[in-house]
Amino acid sequence: MGDAAAALLMGGSAVLGALIGSFLNVVIHRVPAGLSVVHPPSACPGCGGRIRPYDNIPVLSWLILRGRCRDCGTRISARYPLIEAGTALAFAGVAAWMLSPLSPVGSVVDAAGSWGATAAVLMAIAYLWLAASSIALTAIDLETHRLPNAIVLPGYAVAALGLGVPAVLAGDVERLGIAAAGSGILFGAYALMWLAWPGGMGMGDVKLAGVLGAFLGLSSWAALAVGAFGAFVLGGLISILLLVTKRVSRKGGIPFGPWMIAGSWVGLVLGASIGASYLSLFGIELV
C-alpha cells in the first residue's frame, strides 16, 4: 500500500474513531448503571434538554460551547472530548500498526489468498473493537472498579470471528492454536489468582484475561508472554507510585483492568521485538 493510501486509511480510521468515541462516552456513563445505551437520547444532566445533533460533533462541539450546555450553562466534563480524541488517535494507531510488519495481519491476509480481503476486514473489525473496548473498560474500571460483562463477554465472539475465521481462511492452524492456548492460559492463570486472592483480583479480570489472551496469542508466543508480564510490571510500578505519593491508600484498592489492557497493547505492538531482545541476552535468536 502506498503512502497516500496509508495516510488516507489512517485519516479515515481517526474520523471513525472520533465518532465511536462519542458513543463510548454514552457507554462509559450508562453501562455501569445498567441503563440502555440507545434510549433515551443524550441529554444535559442539568436541565434535561436533549443534545442537538449539531452540538454532538466529536471534540469540536465541546470546544465551540466552551465545555458548557447551550441551554443552561451546566459544565460538561472534559472527559467527553478526551475520550473522543483519544479514540480517534487509537483508531489511527491501530490502522498504522495493522499496515506494519509488527502485526500478524499481513501474513494472515497473504496466506488467505482469494479470501484475503475478507480476512483483512474481519481482523480490522476485531482490532478496532479491542481499541474501543480498551478505552471504555479502562475508564469504567478506574471510576467504578468494575469490568462489565456487557463489554467484556462479547470479546470472545469478536475474537472467534475476527481472529479465528481469518486464521482458518489462511489455513494457519498453528496460529489458531496459539490464540486458543493464549486465551485458556491467561483465563486459567487469572482464575487461580482470583481463587487464591479474591480480594485483590475480580472475576471481571479473569473474563477479560481470556479475551486478551486470544488477541495476544494470535500474534505470537512472544506477544503473549510480554503482554501477560507487562500487566504486572505496569500495574506494580503505577501502584507503588500512587502509594508513595499517597494518591491511594493500601486499603483503597487499585483496579487492575487498565494495566492488563496496557500490558496487552505493549505485547501486541512490541512483543516480538522485546522477546527477541530478551532471548538475545542468552544467545538465542528467533527464527
Side-chain angles (χ1 to χ4, degrees), residues 129 133 137 147-157 203-209 211:
W129 177 90
S133 63
L137 289 172
L147 295 169
N149 286 336
I151 302 175
V152 174
L153 294 184
Y156 287 94
M203 194 60 197
D205 297 319
V206 177
K207 298 170 187 175
L208 178 60
V211 175

Side-chain angles (χ1 to χ4, degrees), residues 171-241:
D172 197 337
V173 178
E174 181 180 1
R175 190 182 295 274
L176 185 62
I178 298 174
S183 179
I185 289 171
L186 286 197
F187 184 94
Y190 274 81
L192 289 175
M193 287 186 284
W194 175 69
L195 290 171
W197 188 29
M201 191 71 64
M203 194 60 197
D205 297 319
V206 177
K207 298 170 187 175
L208 178 60
V211 175
L212 297 176
F215 278 89
L216 290 166
L218 189 89
S219 289
S220 65
W221 285 113
L224 179 64
V226 171
F229 285 107
F232 294 95
V233 172
L234 292 173
L237 291 175
I238 297 299
S239 296
I240 291 172
L241 179 62

Side-chain angles (χ1 to χ4, degrees), residues 95-207:
W97 172 74
M98 288 182 62
L99 295 173
S100 76
L102 295 174
S103 83
V105 175
S107 59
V108 171
V109 169
D110 290 342
S114 60
W115 291 99
T118 301
V121 170
L122 289 174
M123 295 184 81
I125 292 173
Y127 286 116
L128 292 177
W129 177 90
L130 181 63
S133 63
S134 294
I135 291 171
L137 289 172
T138 295
I140 291 173
D141 202 17
L142 288 174
E143 184 174 342
T144 68
H145 289 205
R146 290 178 54 207
L147 295 169
N149 286 336
I151 302 175
V152 174
L153 294 184
Y156 287 94
V158 172
L161 295 175
L163 303 180
V165 171
V168 170
L169 294 176
D172 197 337
V173 178
E174 181 180 1
R175 190 182 295 274
L176 185 62
I178 298 174
S183 179
I185 289 171
L186 286 197
F187 184 94
Y190 274 81
L192 289 175
M193 287 186 284
W194 175 69
L195 290 171
W197 188 29
M201 191 71 64
M203 194 60 197
D205 297 319
V206 177
K207 298 170 187 175

Side-chain angles (χ1 to χ4, degrees), residues 42-51 68-69 71-76 80:
S42 298
C44 170
C47 64
R50 289 189 177 181
I51 306 299
R68 295 186 179 275
C69 172
D71 297 319
C72 68
T74 295
R75 184 173 294 279
I76 303 170
Y80 289 87

Side-chain angles (χ1 to χ4, degrees), residues 7-29:
L8 182 62
L9 178 61
M10 291 172 60
S13 298
V15 172
L16 175 62
L19 296 173
I20 295 296
S22 182
F23 175 68
L24 290 183
N25 278 316
V26 177
V27 171
I28 293 166
H29 174 69

